[in-house]
Amino acid sequence: MTEANDNVVEAHREADQSPRSYSTAFDKMTKGDHNDLIGLVAYARYKQMVRDEVLQGQRTAGTPKNPSDQVVEFYRNAARQELQTFAANAIDEAAEEIQQSALLDRINSATSEIQRHISDSTGALRAITTNVIAWAFTLLITLLAFLLLQQPELFERFRDSFDSYVDAPAEESDIQLSDQ
């Protein structure tokens, strides 16, 4: 048994010292850039195909996989098309949400503008100024009415001038009608 164990240990030493072969599929699919999304998707699709071949008995598991340049380009082109389709579908699905978001942004902007306009128009200083002017105008009318009532001749003159002003256009129109 010791001789058999020695043979196994020797075989492992030889295997460890021999250059190991490994699959170059990942490096070829990603073209050396391990962040290349197209290459990563191409590699995933390639590995899926390898798995299917192993399950169907067309390939031996564990053997190095070194795809040709044509196979690499086929999978990269397929991955590029798949990613473009995915992006187009994602945009189509998001289009309605994007439009609704843009509409809500416009509504919120208009609402803010209206609120700002109302705040500017109804500020405390503006309200106080408007009320003071209205109060002064009311006071002036009241004072005028009071003075007119206190002095009857002023009131009579005011009433006569007001009546002549109101009656004057009516008399002119009567004259014009009678001339025709």
Side-chain angles (χ1 to χ4, degrees):
M1 262 187 118
T2 48
E3 192 174 314
N5 285 345
D6 289 341
N7 288 340
V8 171
V9 170
E10 187 63 31
H12 283 292
R13 275 193 204 133
E14 287 176 14
D16 288 343
Q17 292 173 357
S18 67
R20 291 185 176 219
S21 62
Y22 65 94
S23 174
T24 59
F26 182 76
D27 291 332
K28 285 184 173 184
M29 294 289 173
T30 60
K31 295 186 176 187
D33 179 6
H34 298 171
N35 294 320
D36 175 24
L37 185 59
I38 293 172
L40 293 171
V41 172
Y43 181 70
R45 293 299 181 211
Y46 175 76
K47 288 298 283 183
Q48 188 177 29
M49 182 270 310
V50 168
R51 184 199 62 156
D52 291 346
E53 287 181 355
V54 168
L55 291 175
Q56 294 172 2
Q58 298 172 348
R59 185 185 289 252
T60 306
T63 57
K65 290 103 185 140
N66 299 314
S68 68
D69 290 343
Q70 290 173 331
V71 170
V72 169
E73 280 309 305
F74 170 79
Y75 280 101
R76 283 187 63 83
N77 287 337
R80 184 177 295 110
Q81 183 62 39
E82 190 173 346
L83 289 170
Q84 286 172 346
T85 301
F86 174 79
N89 289 340
I91 290 170
D92 288 345
E93 288 175 10
E96 185 176 333
E97 186 178 319
I98 291 170
Q99 289 172 346
Q100 287 176 351
S101 177
L103 181 61
L104 285 175
D105 285 346
R106 280 189 240 137
I107 290 171
N108 288 337
S109 175
T111 301
S112 295
E113 190 174 324
I114 290 168
Q115 287 174 340
R116 183 187 52 76
H117 178 71
I118 289 171
S119 293
D120 290 349
S121 298
T122 59
L125 184 60
R126 182 169 248 189
I128 290 171
T129 304
T130 303
N131 286 330
V132 166
I133 291 171
W135 174 78
F137 187 68
T138 304
L139 187 62
L140 181 66
I141 291 173
T142 305
L143 186 60
L144 189 62
F146 182 74
L147 288 175
L148 288 175
L149 290 174
Q150 291 297 323
Q151 298 187 2
E153 67 274 354
L154 264 177
F155 180 73
E156 289 298 322
R157 267 195 280 167
F158 178 75
R159 190 178 62 175
D160 291 342
S161 63
F162 183 75
D163 287 343
S164 66
Y165 177 75
V166 172
D167 292 338
E171 292 172 4
E172 286 179 18
S173 63
D174 288 341
I175 296 170
Q176 290 175 354
L177 289 175
S178 62
D179 288 340
Q180 294 175 351

